[in-house]
């Protein structure tokens, strides 16, 4: 009995049969596969043991048996982080490309429309009038140059640009109505100030300036807002895809894709649920939702307006129409307009006899009219049209509406990150070994990350760079929505159509190309920002009235010069046919 007791006391001290079959396999498993994979990536084989060793030195992977040294684990952590970042950018590259391509196509289209409108006007005038048009061409080329500047984001109001254009046109056209008179600079200054008076009593071009202002301004504002919105979206998305990796995220990605290598089983894919938890935890704070959906809605709304009531095509094509209508109004109402001018600024001095032009023969007038009537409308905008561009935009944006919510799914769709969904029942890497992933899979929202089993996520809100990107997106959205309603948020001063202080300019919806004239605005365009040697105000007109009576001055006539008739007739045909 004492011998049996002694045997029982000594039994615990004897070596046992060792670990079970599975554990023994871990101890004796070779690291040849890991050495082959990491060696091909440039890792030193001297840092990779031929067989599994104790993993007490590991800081991220399970501290059991391993094929990785401390240096190998650190390098793998950086490598897996780099791979994750690259996959995120690669998954969003099509979105950046879509916004960049739409921006380029719309920008080329809008610029080409303006250039085509300018070419059409210049070709018609140069063929019909030659030197006469060449003398006045800088007025029209200057208008288009400033319109392109406003489209490109130049500061200042379009109202001032258009007011300056009409003032310059009046200074050139009015003397052509009366070639028998001389109009010095101070008289012309009085003329433009009288036409820009607050009471609106003199409207030499009728309602055409107001209609042109409404049509071209709101179309130009809408086009500029769309281009700026696409550029903002492109830049914001590009920076948002450059993920900032927290330490917890880096360690989680290493456990996901790097630790199977350290366990000597690089061919074992990570479990899909494991990948989704890691990806959603790493990407939850850097997305652009919910502002992304509002941004896309504003883009589509503005694009629809640009092919409808704010049609940029119609606006560009009708610039010549509105100008010609204004000049024809001046010609047809020259008697009344001249009477008002002569009453307000005084009768002009007679022109020297040698400067008076002879009228053109009737045959030339008929030939020029025929040239203008037979002029064909050129092909514009590189063979495309606005409805097609809008359709392409709508079709492409429809694919990216849920991009940020679906980004983790795209990342985990890569075979380097997770097992294929078709192999979900097969054993996979769980973070601790081979098996099935049992923890719950959390959603994509920031609040749901409180229960993420793979990493701790700061759920207090997005970081500062993400908040800035969302603010940029909101600003672009607000600008596009305002432009779709006829507001220009880039212009701080208001006019008679403004809805409130600081709300930008607003342009009414009462135009369509070719409609009849409507009532004049409450306040005419602003006077041009120019001074003359005669000083400011209406001094030029008062000087012309002093010491001169209707009887004693030069006779006031209202004869329209035939050259001006030809000039105005061609302008009337500048629009689309």
């Amino acid at each position: 009995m004492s011998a049996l007791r002694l045997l029982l006391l000594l039994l615990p001290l004897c070596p046992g049969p060792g670990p079970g079959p599975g554990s023994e396999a871990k101890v004796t498993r070779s690291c040849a596969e890991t050495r082959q994979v990491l060696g091909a990536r440039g890792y030193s084989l001297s840092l990779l043991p031929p067989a599994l060793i104790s993993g007490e030195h590991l800081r991220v992977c399970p501290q059991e048996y391993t094929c990785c040294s401390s240096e190998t684990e650190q390098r793998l952590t950086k490598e897996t982080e780099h791979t994750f970042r690259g996959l995120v950018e690669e998954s969003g590259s099509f979105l950046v490309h879509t916004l960049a391509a739409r921006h380029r196509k719309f920008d080329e289209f809008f610029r080409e429309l303006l250039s085509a409108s300018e070419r059409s006007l210049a070709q018609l005038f140069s063929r019909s009038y030659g030197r006469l048009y060449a003398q006045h061409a800088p007025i029209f080329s200057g208008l288009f140059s400033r319109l392109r500047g406003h489209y490109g984001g130049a500061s200042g109001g379009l109202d001032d640009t258009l007011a300056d254009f009409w003032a310059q046109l009046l200074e050139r056209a009015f003397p052509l109505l009366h070639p028998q008179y001389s109009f010095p600079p101070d008289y012309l200054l009085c003329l433009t100030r009288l036409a820009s008076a607050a009471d609106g009593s003199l409207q030499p071009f009728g309602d055409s300036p107001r209609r042109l202002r409404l049509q071209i301004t709101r179309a130009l504002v809408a086009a500029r807002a769309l281009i700026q919105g696409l550029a903002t979206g492109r830049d914001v998305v590009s920076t948002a895809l450059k993920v900032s990796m927290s330490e917890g995220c880096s360690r989680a990605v290493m456990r996901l894709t790097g630790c199977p290598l350290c366990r000597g089983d690089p061919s074992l894919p990570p479990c899909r649920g494991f990948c989704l938890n890691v990806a959603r935890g790493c990407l939850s704070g850097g997305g652009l939702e919910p502002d992304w959906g509002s941004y896309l809605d504003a883009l589509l709304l503005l694009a629809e307006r640009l092919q409808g009531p704010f049609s940029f095509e119609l606006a560009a094509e009708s610039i010549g129409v509105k100008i010609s209508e204004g000049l024809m109004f001046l010609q047809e109402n020259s008697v009344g307009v001249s009477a008002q001018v002569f009453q307000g600024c005084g009768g002009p001095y007679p022109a020297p006899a040698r400067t008076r032009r002879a009228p053109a023969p009737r045959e030339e007038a008929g030939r020029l009219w025929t040239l203008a009537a037979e002029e064909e409308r050129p092909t514009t905008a590189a063979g495309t049209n606005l409805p097609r561009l809008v359709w392409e935009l709508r079709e492409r944006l429809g694919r990216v509406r849920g991009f940020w919510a679906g980004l983790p799914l795209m990342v985990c769709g890569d075979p380097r990150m997770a097992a294929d969904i078709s192999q979900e029942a097969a054993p996979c890497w769980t973070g601790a070994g081979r098996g099935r992933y049992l923890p719950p899979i959390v959603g994509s929202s920031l609040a749901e990350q409180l229960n993420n089993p793979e990493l701790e996520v700061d759920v207090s809100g997005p970081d500062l760079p993400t908040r800035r990107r969302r603010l940029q997106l909101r600003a672009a959205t607000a600008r596009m929505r305002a432009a779709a309603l006829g507001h220009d948020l880039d212009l701080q001063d208001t006019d008679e159509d403004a809805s409130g202080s600081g709300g930008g300019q607003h342009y009414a919806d009462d135009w369509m190309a070719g409609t009849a004239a409507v009532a004049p605005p409450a306040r005419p365009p602003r006077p041009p920002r120019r001074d003359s040697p005669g000083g400011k105000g209406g001094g030029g007109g008062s000087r012309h009235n002093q010491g001169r009576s209707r009887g004693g001055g030069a006779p006031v006539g209202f004869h329209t010069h035939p050259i001006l008739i030809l000039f105005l007739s061609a302008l009337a045909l500048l629009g689309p046919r």
Side-chain angles (χ1 to χ4, degrees), residues 84-95:
F84 183 81
R85 289 174 180 269
L87 280 174
V88 172
E89 291 194 48
E90 182 181 339
S91 299
S93 61
F94 79 97
L95 176 54

Side-chain angles (χ1 to χ4, degrees), residues 338-350:
S338 299
Q340 288 182 273
V341 172
F342 294 153
Q343 182 179 2
C345 297
Y349 292 102

Side-chain angles (χ1 to χ4, degrees), residues 95-419:
L95 176 54
V96 177
H97 173 74
T98 295
L99 294 173
R102 296 306 99 196
H103 173 270
R104 183 179 67 255
K105 285 184 175 294
F106 273 100
D107 185 53
E108 290 174 353
F109 179 79
F110 292 144
R111 292 184 183 276
E112 174 60 21
L113 279 179
L114 287 175
S115 298
S117 179
E118 183 179 14
R119 287 195 304 268
S120 177
L121 186 151
Q123 290 171 3
L124 177 59
F125 271 68
S126 60
R127 291 177 185 177
S128 300
Y129 298 102
R131 187 182 64 176
L132 178 62
Y133 169 69
Q135 295 173 350
H136 304 284
I139 301 177
F140 302 97
S141 61
L143 171 64
F144 282 99
S145 177
R146 295 184 69 176
L147 290 179
R148 279 190 289 268
H150 284 287
Y151 166 76
S155 59
L158 275 169
D159 283 4
D160 290 338
T161 293
L162 295 173
D164 286 345
F165 165 75
W166 288 109
Q168 294 179 53
L169 193 60
L170 180 62
E171 291 178 0
R172 302 293 183 92
F174 190 80
L176 290 177
L177 286 171
H178 307 286
Q180 69 274 29
Y181 296 125
S182 175
F183 297 93
D186 57 345
Y187 195 99
L188 295 178
L189 180 62
C190 174
L191 171 66
T192 56
R193 292 187 184 279
L194 186 64
S196 302
D199 58 6
S201 58
L202 178 64
Q203 294 185 359
F205 299 108
D207 194 51
S208 294
R210 191 190 73 89
R211 296 173 63 204
L212 176 62
R213 177 179 69 89
L214 290 175
Q215 186 167 4
I216 192 63
T217 304
R218 66 182 188 175
L220 203 60
V221 167
R224 183 179 63 189
L226 180 70
I227 291 299
Q228 291 176 345
L230 287 168
T232 299
R234 175 200 62 201
D235 297 339
V236 166
V237 170
S238 180
T239 55
L241 291 172
K242 295 177 173 58
V243 184
S244 59
M245 303 275 285
S246 64
E247 183 179 355
C249 180
S250 297
R251 293 170 64 89
V253 172
M254 173 61 187
R255 289 197 310 273
L256 177 70
T257 60
C259 290
L261 281 163
C262 291
R263 290 299 295 267
D265 198 356
S267 60
L268 182 65
C271 297
R272 185 172 179 82
F274 184 17
C275 178
L276 287 175
N277 280 340
V278 171
R280 286 171 177 169
C282 290
L283 300 175
S284 59
L288 300 178
E289 292 289 1
D291 302 300
W292 179 247
S294 299
Y295 164 77
L296 295 181
D297 291 338
L299 268 179
L300 292 175
L301 172 64
L302 189 56
E304 295 289 348
R305 298 285 278 175
L306 274 167
Q307 74 166 348
F310 292 1
S311 173
F312 196 90
E313 285 180 301
L314 291 179
E317 292 168 358
S318 64
I319 292 176
V321 175
K322 296 296 187 295
I323 295 173
S324 64
E325 288 175 352
L327 286 169
M328 292 303 295
F329 181 92
L330 176 64
Q331 175 189 350
E332 295 170 358
N333 297 273
S334 60
V335 174
V337 171
S338 299
Q340 288 182 273
V341 172
F342 294 153
Q343 182 179 2
C345 297
Y349 292 102
R354 64 178 181 272
T355 64
R356 301 183 183 183
R357 306 180 185 91
R362 293 182 178 272
E363 295 79 6
E364 182 180 0
R367 180 176 63 84
L368 296 178
W369 180 275
T370 303
L371 284 174
E374 294 178 354
E375 184 73 19
E376 294 184 0
R377 175 181 169 185
T379 301
T380 62
T384 186
N385 55 66
L386 199 54
R388 179 176 180 83
L389 288 176
V390 173
W391 178 85
E392 291 176 348
L393 179 69
R394 186 189 306 111
E395 191 269 338
R396 283 161 174 77
L397 293 186
R399 306 176 187 175
V400 300
R401 183 166 292 274
F403 171 78
W404 298 103
L407 183 57
L409 292 172
M410 287 187 282
V411 171
C412 292
D414 190 278
R416 292 171 291 179
M417 300 298 297

